Amino acid sequence: MNTIAAKALDREGLPESTVVHPNDRRVRRSIRSLIARTLSILVCITLWQTASVQKWHFLVNFENVPAPSAVGLAGIRLIQSPKFQNHVQSSVIRTFAGFGIAAVLAVTTGLLVGRSKLLGDFLMTPLELLRPIPAVAWIPLAVLMFPASEESMIYITFIGAFFPILLSTIHGVTNVDQRLVFASLTLGASPFSVFSEVIVPGALPSIVTGLSIGMGNAWFSLVTAEMVSGQFGIGYYTWESYTLQNYPNIVLGMISIGLLGMVSSALIKRIAMQFMPWARKGGEMK
Amino acid sequence: MTNQGAEIQVRKVSVSFAIDSKRVDAVQDVSADIRSGEFVALLGPSGCGKSSLLGAIAGFTPIVDGEILVASRRVQRPDSSRGIVFQHHNLFPWKTVQANVEFGPKMRRKPKTERRRIAAEILGRVQLSEFGRHYPDQLSGGMQQRVNLARVLVNRPEVLLMDEPFAALDAQTRLQMQEMLLELWQEFGMTVVFVTHDIDEAILLSDRILIMSQRPGRIKAEVPVFLDRPRRSEQLTSPEFISLKRKCMESIRIEPYPESISLRSANERHNEVSLAGVSINRGHV
């Protein structure tokens, strides 16, 4: 009990009598960093605005690049239009469908392959051959393979998400601390219990990393697929804006893609943390 | 619940490893009989194969020759009748302290209420009742080792194997842990095999010290410890203690300087310590 008290004292840092209270310093530092971040964004936007208005043409041609002010105005109009919501909705559905199927299949395969040498030899050879093929390269074949473009786009998304999740899962399984496996065996665990009680939770942090990389790849693959073969979706919208010479909307499409990717990655981390309370609490205390 | 310790018979056991396709003999032709309920210390320099021997008794280090019998049954694989505690805790980081201790009973399909009760009881016994809901990473080293001990003892093992369990702790915590271990041993009555390279620790705790040679490890001396029990830290300076210590040091000393190859377990790598006045292997892996 003494040790815990000592630990707590360590964490609290310096005693009250020091000149600057550590709390004050922390607040001041975070304000300073907030100012720096805001300032840097403002500088970027100002540069972009100037470049577009002045129509800079040096290495990069800004003549046709819409100014942030134009993008902002277009954005306000866009959010109110139901068409845009449809685009976002169909992209989100496709991503989550492809990603969801990939997550289930890749985690299951990864857990099995990581545990069984025989299964690994059997399954990994074809998978290793398919892995280097970028999801985008599947587009023509996917269009031929599936009856509707909807399925083919989900397939492309699936391909993009599958491999990073698979590889991270295998990595996680094979890197589970052997001492924990010993511990479970000397405590009477059956092979199945070793798997469910040690291997799966031990691999979980690595699986989560795979899922968040997979989510990023899923968006990337989907947007490309939509540009080529879609009729709705945020990728299609971005490309359509280009063909219709509606330049501010290109940028809006890009920003939306970025935001959607960011939000879905954050969502994954949020959900994952629900399953890993030890990571959360450990982090707080240490 | 006393006197449930099992006797251990180690018969002509050899353990070897392949390292870079070279055969390294860790333990060679070791025989020992350990009585039911006895507390035996395995003392020897780093890399002498004492951890390998312990692993063989636990059942996860394969032996190349000989056999090990525990309660007259041949050891073939790890099981819950032989609990093991390592120097660095191997608690499940994703389970709370309570859930870690409940693991053994859960594996034996004890009903939830019962396993909760016996886990809470043993946690109380190691003075960690208030920490059931903490995660292992939130505890200090000494507390982690107490949870480790509780997690093993909740299974009421016949044999408790300990591989330098207190070597990473500070001196004061180590002393507390040693006292607690002796109390638990008296209470539970299991047979204990305790690996250490600390002579004081071996004498303070055990009934008998088996001294191992440099690798390939053999048992080269046996020192019975007839100190009164319960043992107390004051005995560390008694004349009997000092004379036992001298005896151990002499047994360790009679040996040419070790050869260069050294295979040490991850545990031992962390605590290269010079045994009071005894030169030990400082080779590298």
Side-chain angles (χ1 to χ4, degrees):
Chain A
M1 249 131 301
N2 279 333
T3 42
I4 264 281
K7 263 193 157 181
L9 206 75
D10 269 357
R11 224 173 292 120
E12 287 302 319
L14 304 162
E16 296 271 2
S17 58
T18 31
V19 188
V20 185
H21 196 276
N23 237 355
D24 287 355
R25 205 184 302 158
R26 208 175 305 148
V27 169
R28 215 175 296 161
R29 201 177 297 157
S30 69
I31 289 175
R32 210 188 302 156
S33 112
L34 189 71
I35 292 172
R37 282 158 199 255
T38 322
L39 212 64
S40 86
I41 290 182
L42 286 177
V43 168
C44 287
I45 292 177
T46 315
L47 273 176
W48 173 17
Q49 178 80 27
T50 325
S52 311
V53 172
Q54 305 275 325
K55 301 199 187 302
W56 282 5
H57 194 159
F58 175 70
L59 292 177
V60 182
N61 183 3
F62 272 88
E63 269 168 41
N64 288 318
V65 174
S69 52
V71 173
L73 286 174
I76 294 165
R77 246 177 291 133
L78 196 68
I79 290 171
Q80 295 155 347
S81 88
K83 215 177 92 192
F84 183 70
Q85 283 163 22
N86 286 342
H87 285 305
V88 171
Q89 198 185 336
S90 41
S91 285
V92 168
I93 290 172
R94 284 168 196 157
T95 307
F96 278 81
F99 173 83
I101 299 168
V104 172
L105 285 182
V107 170
T108 316
T109 317
L111 288 174
L112 294 175
V113 164
R115 281 308 273 174
S116 154
K117 175 93 175 59
L118 187 68
L119 216 59
D121 289 339
F122 185 73
L123 286 174
M124 282 316 280
T125 320
L127 289 176
E128 283 296 337
L129 286 171
L130 292 176
R131 187 168 68 94
I133 303 170
V136 186
W138 275 95
I139 295 177
L141 199 60
V143 172
L144 297 175
M145 281 160 64
F146 291 96
S149 65
E150 200 60 34
E151 283 96 326
S152 64
M153 280 185 288
I154 291 176
Y155 178 73
I156 300 296
T157 314
F158 162 79
I159 289 286
F162 183 79
F163 286 103
I165 305 176
L166 176 72
L167 294 184
S168 302
T169 307
I170 295 175
H171 175 83
V173 171
T174 49
N175 281 288
V176 169
D177 190 347
Q178 277 306 302
R179 297 175 325 124
L180 300 180
V181 177
F182 285 156
S184 68
L185 289 173
T186 53
L187 294 168
S190 64
F192 178 77
S193 299
V194 172
F195 183 76
S196 63
E197 299 273 346
V198 182
I199 302 294
V200 173
L204 202 52
S206 187
I207 294 175
V208 170
T209 307
L211 289 175
S212 82
I213 299 172
M215 185 51 108
N217 273 18
W219 275 108
F220 171 84
S221 312
L222 176 76
V223 167
T224 330
E226 282 176 345
M227 285 190 173
V228 180
S229 66
Q231 285 175 343
F232 278 107
I234 202 72
Y236 171 77
Y237 170 84
T238 307
W239 191 251
E240 185 199 38
S241 306
Y242 167 72
T243 51
L244 298 177
Q245 300 191 334
N246 201 347
Y247 297 148
N249 291 13
I250 299 179
V251 181
L252 282 178
M254 289 165 65
I255 292 173
S256 317
I257 293 164
L259 283 177
L260 287 169
M262 205 170 79
V263 170
S264 26
S265 284
L267 201 68
I268 298 240
K269 273 182 204 139
R270 192 74 178 273
I271 294 170
M273 273 309 172
Q274 296 299 311
F275 289 98
M276 298 194 294
W278 72 91
R280 207 173 35 200
K281 288 206 177 178
E284 265 172 28
M285 292 284 291
K286 264 182 176 173
Chain B
M1 270 267 208
T2 47
N3 218 5
Q4 54 161 7
E7 58 179 348
I8 304 169
Q9 289 155 294
V10 179
R11 291 185 184 153
K12 292 180 178 299
V13 164
S14 298
V15 176
S16 49
F17 296 104
I19 292 186
D20 301 332
S21 70
K22 254 207 250 161
R23 187 182 144 131
V24 178
D25 295 315
V27 175
Q28 205 174 58
D29 200 22
V30 165
S31 295
D33 278 314
I34 297 168
R35 288 186 300 276
S36 159
E38 195 179 11
F39 197 126
V40 167
L42 271 181
L43 181 68
S46 293
C48 75
K50 50 197 192 307
S51 296
S52 304
L53 184 58
L54 203 73
I57 300 173
F60 55 73
T61 304
I63 56 182
V64 290
D65 208 3
E67 64 174 354
I68 297 174
L69 303 175
V70 172
S72 308
R73 292 186 308 271
R74 195 178 171 149
V75 171
Q76 279 167 325
R77 61 182 67 83
D79 79 53
S80 62
S81 68
R82 279 164 280 121
I84 187 160
V85 174
F86 295 100
Q87 179 185 347
H88 294 284
H89 83 84
N90 56 354
L91 298 167
F92 304 117
W94 49 83
K95 288 182 186 289
T96 60
V97 165
Q98 172 84 19
N100 262 287
V101 178
E102 279 183 33
F103 186 82
K106 186 177 173 188
M107 293 301 106
R108 278 177 290 125
R109 299 176 193 288
K110 292 261 191 223
K112 210 167 189 170
T113 46
E114 190 188 342
R115 66 181 196 238
R116 190 160 295 166
R117 184 180 58 76
I118 56 176
E121 196 179 295
I122 195 99
L123 274 176
R125 195 57 200 74
V126 296
Q127 290 160 29
L128 285 175
S129 292
E130 303 121 85
F131 294 93
R133 302 175 73 150
H134 284 62
Y135 285 92
D137 283 349
Q138 298 172 294
L139 305 181
S140 68
M143 293 163 92
Q144 289 168 340
Q145 281 305 52
R146 277 187 272 159
V147 181
N148 232 347
L149 203 53
R151 186 177 66 166
V152 167
L153 291 180
V154 78
N155 286 331
R156 304 268 161 179
E158 301 171 325
V159 173
L160 175 60
L161 305 167
M162 306 192 89
D163 192 351
E164 309 201 9
F166 311 140
L169 305 176
D170 63 84
Q172 195 187 337
T173 312
R174 188 182 314 149
L175 212 57
Q176 287 167 356
M177 290 293 292
Q178 288 164 342
E179 279 169 9
M180 177 174 275
L181 173 64
L182 286 178
E183 281 169 26
L184 289 166
W185 170 63
Q186 306 249 287
E187 185 181 325
F188 286 70
M190 66 280 180
T191 309
V192 180
V193 183
F194 191 102
V195 162
T196 181
H197 60 217
D198 180 336
I199 299 176
D200 284 358
E201 184 171 58
I203 300 172
L204 185 67
L205 296 177
S206 71
D207 294 325
R208 189 155 56 112
I209 302 173
L210 301 177
I211 296 175
M212 287 184 76
S213 64
Q214 287 289 345
R215 202 180 45 249
R218 302 159 190 267
I219 293 174
K220 61 175 187 176
E222 188 186 314
V223 179
V225 182
F226 297 114
L227 294 178
D228 292 340
R229 292 197 187 268
R231 304 262 172 89
R232 284 178 309 275
S233 52
E234 297 89 76
Q235 284 167 295
L236 284 166
T237 47
S238 72
E240 295 91 335
F241 196 97
I242 306 287
S243 98
L244 280 167
K245 189 167 175 177
R246 186 171 300 129
K247 215 165 161 184
C248 292
M249 285 167 75
E250 275 162 12
S251 311
I252 291 173
R253 216 191 301 256
I254 314 168
E255 186 155 31
Y257 207 74
E259 302 153 50
S260 59
I261 311 168
S262 130
L263 162 71
R264 283 169 294 159
S265 69
N267 294 344
E268 286 168 332
R269 211 170 300 147
H270 288 290
N271 52 180
E272 200 81 335
V273 179
S274 72
L275 293 170
V278 183
S279 347
I280 58 163
N281 191 352
R282 287 200 172 267
H284 43 269
V285 175

